């Protein structure tokens, strides 16, 4: 049901959050979620593709586990750089524009990766891809967080990770099996099957790039820039559930008084001072604490995901067999994301992260000790992935809620991409441990990472079901 602007006349000025909350969910919210999530799905494919194609790359390019980990590190560092730059640009120029640009860069990088003649050039093309991926993730989280009503904000943001990462973890390996199997046979790809896997990923993203131009900018960003007319247009598109409006159809939901009582107008830190802002009181503790949690969470996940197919091949499984096992284990991640989506609605962020982290530590140690034979490898890997994605999805939900509008994209980018720094560096240590002292110590270090991130989460402010105006009215 569309929000009635006329019925609100005569009331005292209301905040933007109250106006969006009164609208409820409309078709525009669901279309925005769909387009952002689909873009995120292909971004997750790009993050996981090196793991899924690891055995094929080893065979064709003659690289070992350490070289593969280095390729992953280069990609993730590029994601970090893209995310930080993207966060600043999104706070300066808008969320929607950055979403379009980042996806275009990702498409270019994917196609260039397919044409790489050797591992060195592949590393360069992964940098291009990573720049696009980094901007997409942080700004996508911010976009959904600002667009949706308070009651379902956690659900919508967690759905981004549920579908993109939860489903993506499974589909990335299913896609790889399809390409290096039937597709490679049909086109006679031979050892070049990995090139087809990279190249074909760029095609669906072009369609998403085209349709995203119809998405509205977030009213919070527009109001923070004093763009009252544009904010009213975006709110009208939300309220009516239509991405295109007819002439004269824009309603006056907000004015200068609305901006005065909204969180988006508060604070005096310009976007050019974003880093100083998120690392100064009162935002410093939350930025550092959740950044540490993300660093350890991403580092643990990428260490296991990157090395799992290689460890299975070392145990005697075929390339396709190792990818199949990893794919089936990752179905647990989908369940973990689904639980996190429910948790985003019903349970505090801190509780979900802390309990999930302890359970992940126990699960990975159980895998290290007991995962012998097909059944236990699949079962224990499945259980571990439940808690991996439970924790990661909740961190993704938590991050954009911690920062005021003026630095929300940048603050989210700092947290998320601190995580990707962990994902870039810690697998290098894990791969060295794998080659030096064996599998058990890889999993033992991962367990310690999870206990550490659970401890860090205790220092992050709780945001569950709290309106953004309340959270940032005084930015406590």
């Amino acid at each position: 049901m569309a929000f009635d602007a006329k019925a609100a006349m005569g009331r005292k000025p209301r905040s933007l959050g109250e106006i969006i909350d009164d609208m409820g969910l409309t078709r525009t919210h669901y279309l925005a979620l769909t387009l952002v999530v689909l873009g995120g799905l292909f971004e997750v494919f790009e993050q996981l593709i090196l793991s899924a194609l690891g055995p094929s790359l080893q065979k064709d390019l003659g690289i070992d586990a350490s070289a593969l980990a280095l390729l992953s590190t280069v990609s993730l560092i590029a994601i970090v750089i893209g995310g930080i730059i993207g966060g600043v640009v999104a706070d300066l120029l808008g969320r929607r524009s950055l979403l379009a640009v980042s996806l275009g860069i990702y498409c270019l990088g994917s196609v260039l990766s397919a044409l790489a003649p050797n591992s060195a050039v592949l590393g360069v093309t992964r940098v291009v891809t990573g720049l696009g991926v980094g901007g997409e993730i942080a700004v996508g989280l911010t976009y959904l967080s600002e667009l949706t009503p308070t009651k379902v904000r956690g659900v919508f943001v967690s759905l981004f990770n549920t579908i993109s990462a939860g489903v993506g973890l499974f589909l990335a390996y299913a896609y790889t099996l399809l390409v290096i199997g039937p597709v490679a046979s049909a086109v006679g790809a031979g050892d070049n099957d990995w090139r087809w896997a990279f190249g074909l990923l760029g095609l669906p993203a072009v369609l998403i790039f085209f349709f995203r131009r119809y998405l509205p900018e977030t009213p919070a960003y527009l109001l923070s820039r004093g763009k009252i007319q544009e904010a009213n247009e975006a709110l009208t598109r939300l309220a009516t559930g239509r991405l295109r409006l007819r002439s004269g159809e824009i309603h006056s939901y907000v004015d200068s008084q609305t901006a005065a009582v909204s969180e988006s107008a508060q604070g005096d830190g310009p976007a050019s001072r974003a880093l100083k802002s998120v690392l100064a009181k009162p935002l410093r503790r939350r930025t550092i604490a959740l950044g540490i949690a993300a660093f350890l969470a991403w580092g643990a996940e990428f260490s296991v995901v990157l090395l799992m197919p290689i460890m299975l091949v070392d145990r005697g499984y075929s390339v396709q067999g190792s990818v199949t096992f990893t794919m089936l284990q990752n179905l647990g991640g989908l369940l973990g994301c689904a639980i996190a989506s429910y948790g985003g609605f019903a349970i505090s962020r801190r509780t979900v992260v802390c309990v999930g982290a302890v359970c992940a530590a126990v699960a990975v140690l159980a895998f290290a000790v007991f995962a012998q034979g097909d059944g236990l490898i699949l079962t224990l890997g499945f259980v571990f992935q439940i808690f991996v994605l439970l924790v990661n999805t909740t961190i993704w939900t938590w991050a954009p809620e911690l920062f005021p509008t003026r630095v929300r994209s940048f603050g989210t980018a700092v947290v998320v991409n601190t995580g990707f720094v962990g994902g870039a560096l810690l697998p290098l240590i894990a791969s060295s441990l794998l080659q030096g002292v064996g599998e058990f110590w890889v999993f033992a270090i991962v367990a310690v990472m999870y206990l550490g991130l659970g401890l860090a989460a205790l220092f992050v402010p709780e945001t569950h079901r709290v309106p953004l105006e309340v959270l940032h009215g005084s930015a406590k």
Side-chain angles (χ1 to χ4, degrees):
M1 180 178 179
F3 173 72
D4 187 356
K6 294 180 180 180
M9 294 179 63
R11 299 177 184 173
K12 65 179 182 179
R14 299 182 309 151
S15 69
L16 176 63
E18 291 173 323
I19 294 171
I20 292 177
D21 286 349
D22 284 348
M23 286 181 182
L25 290 175
T26 68
R27 181 171 172 266
T28 299
H29 287 104
Y30 291 110
L31 288 172
L33 175 66
T34 300
L35 290 174
V36 172
V37 162
L38 285 176
L41 182 66
F42 288 101
E43 309 295 354
V44 170
F45 271 45
E46 283 298 336
Q47 294 173 45
L48 296 175
I49 197 72
L50 285 175
S51 169
L53 291 175
S56 294
L57 291 170
Q58 285 182 304
K59 180 181 178 182
D60 190 41
L61 298 181
I63 59 178
D64 59 16
S66 295
L68 186 65
L70 183 59
L71 274 177
S72 178
T73 295
V74 168
S75 301
L76 291 170
I77 288 174
I79 288 176
V80 172
I81 295 171
I84 299 299
I85 294 174
V88 173
V89 172
D91 285 330
L92 286 171
L93 304 180
R95 294 32 169 147
R96 184 182 65 171
S97 299
L98 202 281
L99 281 173
V101 171
S102 62
L103 192 59
I105 294 173
Y106 149 74
C107 292
L108 175 63
S110 184
V111 172
L112 291 176
S113 294
L115 303 175
N118 52 52
S119 60
V121 176
L122 181 60
V124 174
T125 64
R126 302 315 294 160
V127 169
V128 176
T129 306
L131 292 173
V133 170
E136 175 77 20
I137 293 172
V139 180
L141 294 174
T142 299
Y143 184 81
L144 292 176
S145 182
E146 291 182 346
L147 208 66
T148 50
T150 300
K151 186 176 181 179
V152 296
R153 186 179 66 225
V155 176
F156 259 57
V157 176
S158 62
L159 277 173
F160 177 88
N161 201 47
T162 298
I163 300 173
S164 61
V167 177
L169 276 170
F170 174 80
L171 290 183
Y173 291 93
Y175 166 80
T176 303
L177 285 173
L178 176 66
V179 174
I180 67 176
V183 172
S185 298
V187 300
D191 290 341
N192 288 318
D193 51 6
W194 60 272
R195 298 183 185 277
W196 286 84
F198 280 126
L200 292 175
L201 277 181
L203 299 180
V206 173
L207 294 176
I208 302 168
F209 176 82
F210 174 79
F211 284 110
R212 273 189 181 176
R213 62 183 180 150
Y214 297 110
L215 290 176
E217 181 56 85
T218 68
Y221 170 79
L222 294 169
L223 201 60
S224 72
R225 290 289 184 250
K227 298 180 178 181
I228 305 298
Q229 179 66 13
E230 291 88 341
N232 281 318
E233 179 181 351
L235 286 166
T236 303
R237 292 165 75 181
L238 285 176
T240 59
R242 294 198 301 269
L243 296 182
R244 286 184 173 183
L245 299 176
R246 293 185 291 271
S247 177
E249 198 175 16
I250 300 174
H251 296 292
S252 297
Y253 294 96
V254 298
D255 54 24
S256 57
Q257 288 183 310
T258 310
V261 299
S262 293
E263 172 266 321
S264 55
Q266 296 166 3
D268 57 2
S272 61
R273 299 175 185 171
L275 182 59
K276 180 180 178 181
S277 180
V278 301
L279 292 179
K281 290 183 177 181
L283 302 179
R284 179 171 56 212
R285 189 178 78 169
R286 65 190 65 180
T287 303
I288 294 173
L290 196 62
I292 291 172
F295 179 91
L296 295 171
W298 270 246
E301 178 190 12
F302 278 93
S303 294
V304 175
V305 167
L306 182 69
L307 298 178
M308 183 63 73
I310 296 173
M311 288 189 288
L312 292 175
V313 168
D314 290 342
R315 290 187 180 192
Y317 291 93
S318 67
V319 170
Q320 291 190 346
S322 69
V323 174
T324 301
F325 267 62
T326 306
M327 176 187 71
L328 294 175
Q329 289 173 343
N330 287 342
L331 280 174
L334 179 57
L335 179 57
C337 286
I339 296 172
S341 294
Y342 173 76
F345 179 79
I347 308 172
S348 72
R349 313 285 187 243
R350 191 182 295 122
T351 299
V352 175
V353 171
C354 291
V355 173
V358 172
C359 291
V362 173
V364 77
L365 286 177
F367 188 95
V369 175
F370 300 112
Q372 302 296 325
D374 296 354
L376 285 174
I377 288 174
L378 286 174
T379 301
L380 294 175
F382 179 92
V383 171
F384 171 65
Q385 286 296 332
I386 291 176
F387 299 113
V388 169
L389 269 294
L390 173 67
V391 170
N392 285 15
T393 300
T394 306
I395 290 175
W396 285 43
T397 303
W398 211 348
E401 298 173 340
L402 294 172
F403 303 97
T405 301
R406 69 182 188 273
V407 291
R408 182 165 293 126
S409 282
F410 182 78
T412 302
V414 168
V415 170
V416 170
N417 289 288
T418 298
F420 282 120
V421 171
L425 300 179
L426 297 181
L428 292 175
I429 299 173
S431 64
S432 297
L433 287 172
L434 178 64
Q435 294 179 331
V437 295
E439 292 179 12
F440 176 82
W441 291 105
V442 173
F443 294 122
I445 292 297
V446 168
V448 172
M449 292 180 198
Y450 275 107
L451 294 177
L453 79 87
L455 180 63
L458 295 175
F459 296 92
V460 183
E462 186 54 64
T463 60
H464 178 240
R465 285 202 168 187
V466 183
L468 294 178
E469 278 89 6
V470 175
L471 286 168
H472 304 296
S474 57
K476 292 180 180 179

